[in-house]
Amino acid sequence: MKIALGCDHGGIVLKPAIKELLENRNIEIVDFGCYTTDSVDYPDFALKVAEAVSTGSVDKGIILCGTGIGISIAANKVKGIRAAVAHDLFTAEMCKKHNNANIISMGGRVVTPELATEMVKVWLDSEFEGGRHTTRVDKITKIEEKYFK
Ligand code: RB5
């Protein structure tokens, strides 16, 4: 498995612990930055991760900003992306089981690195449940097809 990481200065605090978890699981990491706490613009990093997921050059993505919100909004502008902001173990699990989120987004000013790694674990270890959720996710794709030219 290959996972892309992207963050801004507000999310970078979560990155070392998440990288350690992925390395321990022998998951290949593509780290698109940022790499310092200097102020940057989160859409730049959202785009890199979202394009990598959308084109299939990686399997999934993890994005981090101060709240997880801005970077997820930006990532969701890329075709095929279902980036979900998760705040706790329940939302991390549900965004995979019900929404088939291919990117998880978290806030460095919202969750601790310890919680963030637990959230990544549950997201990675959960399976999309399909069934009625496939119908709903397919409807999301239909909206995308209507508006993405
Ligand atoms: C940066 O200060 C902050 O606005 C950003 O990290 C994020 O929280 C935006 O949604």
Side-chain angles (χ1 to χ4, degrees), residues 99-120:
N99 314 115
N100 204 14
N102 47 16
I103 295 183
I104 190 169
S105 184
M106 292 171 287
R109 298 170 186 157
V110 180
V111 298
T112 62
E114 294 72 25
L115 177 55
T117 54
E118 292 304 314
M119 288 160 65
V120 170

Side-chain angles (χ1 to χ4, degrees), residues 8-11 39-40 42 64-73 107-109:
D8 76 354
H9 54 288
S39 183
V40 291
Y42 57 80
L64 314 163
C65 69
T67 57
I69 296 170
I71 201 163
S72 69
I73 292 173
R109 298 170 186 157

Side-chain angles (χ1 to χ4, degrees), residues 19-32:
K19 279 183 102 163
E20 190 182 338
L21 166 70
L22 300 180
E23 281 160 7
N24 288 341
R25 288 190 171 205
N26 293 316
I27 292 172
E28 196 178 334
I29 300 166
V30 183
D31 184 352
F32 286 109

Side-chain angles (χ1 to χ4, degrees), residues 7-12 33-45 109:
C7 67
D8 76 354
H9 54 288
I12 196 168
C34 67
Y35 308 108
T36 75
T37 53
D38 293 349
S39 183
V40 291
D41 299 328
Y42 57 80
D44 299 335
F45 303 92
R109 298 170 186 157

